[in-house]
Amino acid sequence: MKLLMDLVVNHTSDQNEWFKQSRSSKDNEYRNWYVWKPAKYDEQGNRQPPNNWVSHFQGSAWEWDEHTQEYYLHLYATEQPDLNWEHPPVRKAVHEIMRFWLDKGADGFRMDVINFVSKDQRFPDAPVKDPRTPWQWGDKYYANGPRLHEYFQDLGKILKEYDAFSVGEMPFVKDTEEVLRAVQFDRNELNMIFNFEHVDIDHGTYDKFEPGSWKLTDLKAFFERWQTFMYDNDGWNALYFENHDQPRSIDRYAQASEKYRTEAGKMLATILALKSGTPFVYQGQEIGTRNVPIEWDMDEYKDLDCLNHWHRLLKHRPDDKEAHQSARREYQKKSRDNGRTPVQWSSAPNAGFTGPNAKPWMSVNPDYVRFNAEAQVKDPKSIYNYWASVLGLRKKYLDIFVYGNYELVDRDSQEIFAYTRQYEDQKALVLANWTEKTLEWDSASNGVKRAKEVLLNTYDSAESVKERFSGSKWELRPFEAVVAIV
């Protein structure tokens, strides 16, 4: 087992001693460790922030400091001021932090929003995208900034020195060449990045918490784009559906009813884990954890992004009951709390997360009685044990599933997600029914003559289903996935 540390160096806590010193005086040696700017004033003489950038947690990205009479930048919470990477002592301190943990034996880092560390030093106003608010997304000026790869090169030297692993969290990156500069093997920057395109797929036009729509072909197109690009250009993918900032994949991507929860969980595992790249499985994903209950009241939510959005909605549209109901539905679908409920260890009180007389920091998902780690480990047909099977298959057929190319099959279908992985003359098909109905798939019309060998099936043993996939018409049960040599 290897240990990765979470390296959060775009910002710190406002309780960090660096920031306490920084805000104590404009003359303090730590003043330039953070991004401080004087106020602007409108024609009426009213104080305004330095620009119109919006915080990722709602409202202005600037906070007024009464003591030193300037604003500081916080792209996230007001309690999370952004570090100023233009200031050399900041970079030196980050490098020392990395070496400290690597010397302790850490094997590498997950780097939080690492592509925000280089910002356009003009700090211009962002173009108006949402006319309903003065605060606009300034990612054009702080994501993938002008000195980003200079900074990455410095990080990469340390990582290479320790033969350490790195995966960078990089929102707002759709430029393939920008990604390649970060992860191409001979660039010596990062090993891989977390791309955000597929986890923004259900966002509204202006707002994460507005209703958004997507089709299966959208999701397939995202994966095809990055699978083929990385393979052709000596890059590497980080594969994920869930993390601490995202809702649960059974709800978000499969949109499965409770009846097919297990089948959907296994199907998603198949589709994700057999692609090219490194699979990341988030806590609870391997046991089929779902989103928080639709019945949750607002006082159950802890997600700052969600709560700030709700309070702003109540302030600006207090009587718009339809908007309130719509927002509540979207919170249940997209709140970060979905990935943060206590881990469901057992059917004991509080899901075994803490003692029966204690209260967890947030409510446990009430379905823990049925879906918990203890029950899943014991059940040979559970999602947990299926994950073990699919990862075992990936390891057994390493040439195909690690080093093989990727080709999308049945591209235009809104019901089937299928792709092949091929290494030299070895070729495997990964085929999934993305619906709750039984489908018939014509393998011949999609360039697959027959299954030479079934390797894995989400319902039954590979041996017991091989006859079903021996012809050209393949019947697929709800959310059924099959992996076969073709």
Side-chain angles (χ1 to χ4, degrees):
M1 180 179 288
K2 303 291 185 180
L3 175 67
L4 306 181
M5 298 291 293
D6 195 5
L7 187 70
V8 185
V9 288
N10 173 69
H11 47 267
T12 71
S13 165
D14 63 354
Q15 298 304 302
N16 189 303
E17 189 61 31
W18 296 348
F19 189 69
K20 288 181 179 180
Q21 293 290 328
S22 184
R23 77 188 312 177
S24 67
S25 165
K26 289 183 180 178
D27 298 324
N28 189 279
E29 63 176 307
Y30 283 91
R31 185 65 173 183
N32 289 334
W33 284 53
Y34 294 84
V35 181
W36 292 94
K37 296 292 177 184
K40 294 195 304 185
Y41 292 88
D42 61 21
E43 294 178 354
Q44 290 73 41
N46 298 312
R47 187 183 70 223
Q48 300 293 328
N51 64 31
N52 66 351
W53 294 0
V54 66
S55 160
H56 287 258
F57 293 158
Q58 317 293 320
S60 173
W62 299 90
E63 181 74 4
W64 178 251
D65 179 64
E66 193 66 35
H67 179 64
T68 58
Q69 295 288 294
E70 283 191 330
Y71 283 93
Y72 66 84
L73 178 68
H74 61 92
L75 292 178
Y76 289 92
T78 56
E79 299 84 2
Q80 295 174 309
D82 278 53
L83 284 164
N84 176 22
W85 275 60
E86 294 286 322
H87 191 47
V90 170
R91 301 198 300 276
K92 181 175 182 290
V94 170
H95 300 163
E96 290 173 351
I97 291 169
M98 292 175 64
R99 291 183 183 279
F100 173 86
W101 289 112
L102 291 169
D103 286 337
K104 289 285 188 182
D107 296 290
F109 302 98
R110 175 259 184 197
M111 299 179 173
D112 191 75
V113 291
I114 196 63
N115 63 319
F116 288 4
V117 296
S118 173
K119 300 169 176 70
D120 187 326
Q121 293 302 292
R122 298 171 301 162
F123 292 93
D125 279 337
V128 175
K129 297 179 182 178
D130 183 352
R132 303 169 304 175
T133 173
W135 313 119
Q136 304 295 318
W137 289 104
D139 55 283
K140 177 179 179 181
Y141 302 111
Y142 62 72
N144 318 309
R147 300 183 68 184
L148 182 66
H149 294 284
E150 173 191 340
Y151 299 157
F152 278 7
Q153 290 283 326
D154 290 340
L155 302 182
K157 289 175 184 176
I158 298 172
L159 294 166
K160 187 173 183 180
E161 177 186 339
Y162 286 85
D163 192 24
F165 172 90
S166 60
V167 55
E169 186 187 37
M170 290 180 59
F172 300 113
V173 181
K174 296 184 179 180
D175 180 358
T176 52
E177 294 302 323
E178 177 67 29
V179 172
L180 195 60
R181 282 191 286 272
V183 302
Q184 194 167 25
F185 84 100
D186 57 355
R187 291 272 300 173
N188 295 317
E189 294 189 6
L190 307 181
N191 293 130
M192 63 193 79
I193 71 157
F194 289 126
N195 194 298
F196 276 62
E197 280 188 72
H198 67 302
V199 295
D200 293 341
I201 201 168
D202 54 1
H203 292 188
T205 302
Y206 301 122
D207 190 335
K208 167 184 174 180
F209 293 121
E210 289 179 349
S213 62
W214 60 278
K215 304 184 295 293
L216 182 58
T217 47
D218 298 329
L219 191 63
K220 292 196 291 187
F222 160 80
F223 279 114
E224 180 184 32
R225 177 184 177 206
W226 290 105
Q227 288 283 295
T228 54
F229 179 79
M230 290 295 196
Y231 183 86
D232 292 342
N233 291 280
D234 296 317
W236 196 250
N237 284 291
L239 307 171
Y240 76 103
F241 276 145
E242 299 183 16
N243 64 33
H244 65 293
D245 286 329
Q246 304 301 330
R248 297 298 183 172
S249 54
I250 290 174
D251 291 276
R252 183 180 220 171
Y253 297 113
Q255 300 175 359
S257 67
E258 187 61 23
K259 179 180 179 180
Y260 293 110
R261 174 182 188 159
T262 294
E263 290 77 10
K266 292 179 180 180
M267 181 274 290
L268 290 167
T270 312
I271 286 295
L272 183 72
L274 298 180
K275 287 186 170 67
S276 173
T278 298
F280 288 79
V281 186
Y282 179 65
Q283 62 181 40
Q285 184 179 357
E286 79 283 16
I287 61 172
T289 303
R290 301 200 70 157
N291 280 358
V292 301
I294 190 69
E295 299 83 12
W296 262 25
D297 291 327
M298 288 307 302
D299 59 6
E300 295 276 12
Y301 286 91
K302 308 297 182 185
D303 177 10
L304 186 62
D305 189 12
C306 174
L307 293 176
N308 285 350
H309 185 276
W310 177 245
H311 293 148
R312 290 175 64 82
L313 181 62
L314 293 181
K315 179 180 178 180
H316 297 290
R317 301 164 70 181
D319 301 319
D320 193 340
K321 301 303 181 184
E322 184 177 343
H324 299 172
Q325 291 174 359
S326 175
R328 291 281 300 274
R329 288 192 295 269
E330 295 304 305
Y331 299 155
Q332 192 272 336
K333 293 178 181 177
K334 302 171 185 174
S335 169
R336 297 186 301 163
D337 288 335
N338 288 305
R340 300 181 179 197
T341 52
V343 174
Q344 295 163 212
W345 292 107
S346 71
S347 60
N350 293 322
F353 179 82
T354 190
N357 298 321
K359 185 178 180 180
W361 82 286
M362 68 182 301
S363 296
V364 179
N365 195 318
D367 68 4
Y368 75 87
V369 177
R370 290 181 54 237
F371 279 81
N372 58 71
E374 184 178 58
Q376 290 268 311
V377 170
K378 292 177 180 177
D379 180 3
K381 293 189 175 182
S382 67
I383 298 173
Y384 171 85
N385 280 303
Y386 184 82
W387 264 107
S389 297
V390 74
L391 293 175
L393 186 72
R394 178 186 173 91
K395 186 174 182 179
K396 181 178 180 180
Y397 291 88
L398 182 139
D399 285 347
I400 301 175
F401 296 118
V402 175
Y403 300 111
N405 68 3
Y406 176 96
E407 184 173 349
L408 189 63
V409 177
D410 206 353
R411 177 187 310 276
D412 298 327
S413 174
Q414 302 292 357
E415 300 178 322
I416 295 290
F417 196 145
Y419 59 87
T420 59
R421 300 294 310 280
Q422 183 167 359
Y423 180 83
E424 296 180 348
D425 60 349
Q426 305 175 76
K427 187 175 185 179
L429 171 72
V430 180
L431 173 70
N433 176 359
W434 208 273
T435 76
E436 294 196 1
K437 59 187 179 184
T438 298
L439 301 176
E440 184 178 81
W441 191 67
D442 188 338
S443 63
S445 66
N446 285 286
V448 179
K449 294 182 179 179
R450 65 183 181 86
K452 298 176 183 177
E453 181 185 0
V454 176
L455 302 179
L456 193 63
N457 181 262
T458 49
Y459 275 76
D460 300 299
S461 69
E463 178 65 24
S464 66
V465 300
K466 65 180 182 180
E467 292 300 321
R468 291 179 48 223
F469 303 102
S470 60
S472 62
K473 304 290 186 181
W474 297 6
E475 184 180 89
L476 295 170
R477 289 166 285 187
F479 292 117
E480 182 172 14
V482 61
V483 184
I485 298 293
V486 294

